Amino acid sequence: MDLLVNKFKNYIKIVENSDALLVDSKKWNEVSTFIKKNKKLDFDYLMSITSYDLGDSLIFGVAYNFYSTKLKHYLEIRIEVDDTKEIESISHLWRAAEWHEREAFDL
C-alpha cells in the first residue's frame, strides 16, 4: 500500500498494530476513486462496511474492507469523524456500498 500512502501522505495514517489505513474524511472521495481505478491497486470488490463508536458517542468510525479479485490483495480503510460530520458515499464506485452505507447510517 506504499503507492497509496505516498500519494496521499498528508491524509493517510497507518493504524497502529494493524494493516488498516486511517484516511482523512475530506479526501475520501479522491482516495476511494484512486483505489478503484488505479491498475496497480484495482480494488474491484467491496467486501464490507462496518461502523463503530469510539466509546464516547462523539467520534464515530467506518471501516471499509476491499479486495482485488485480479491482484489478490486486501485493504482496510477506516475513517473517523465527529458526530456532526458525514462521510461521502462510495456507491457511485461500488454499487454494494449503497446497502452497507444505509446499514451503517443506522448506528
Side-chain angles (χ1 to χ4, degrees):
M1 294 307 119
D2 291 339
L3 175 67
L4 184 58
V5 172
N6 289 335
K7 179 164 178 64
F8 297 99
K9 60 185 159 207
N10 295 326
Y11 303 98
I12 292 181
K13 295 177 185 171
I14 298 172
V15 177
E16 192 173 331
N17 299 322
S18 171
D19 290 332
L21 301 176
L22 184 64
V23 173
D24 186 318
S25 64
K26 294 178 205 120
K27 285 291 186 181
W28 179 225
N29 188 48
E30 191 176 341
V31 169
S32 61
T33 300
F34 183 76
I35 67 169
K36 171 80 176 195
K37 297 188 176 188
N38 183 285
K39 294 301 175 196
K40 292 181 180 175
L41 298 174
D42 203 18
F43 286 104
D44 56 334
Y45 177 44
L46 172 64
M47 298 169 58
S48 66
I49 298 175
T50 305
S51 58
Y52 55 93
D53 179 343
L54 289 178
D56 58 8
S57 295
L58 299 173
I59 305 294
F60 295 90
V62 179
Y64 298 84
N65 300 101
F66 299 98
Y67 186 72
S68 171
T69 58
K70 294 175 189 168
L71 301 175
K72 309 292 185 216
H73 61 186
Y74 168 85
L75 174 65
E76 180 175 327
I77 290 181
R78 298 179 189 174
I79 299 173
E80 295 175 352
V81 295
D82 68 52
D83 66 348
T84 64
K85 296 192 173 102
E86 292 184 9
I87 299 170
E88 286 189 56
S89 173
I90 57 170
S91 63
H92 63 287
L93 295 167
W94 294 275
R95 290 190 64 208
E98 185 178 347
W99 181 83
H100 290 288
E101 289 170 345
R102 283 185 304 198
E103 291 294 313
F105 178 81
D106 289 338
L107 172 69

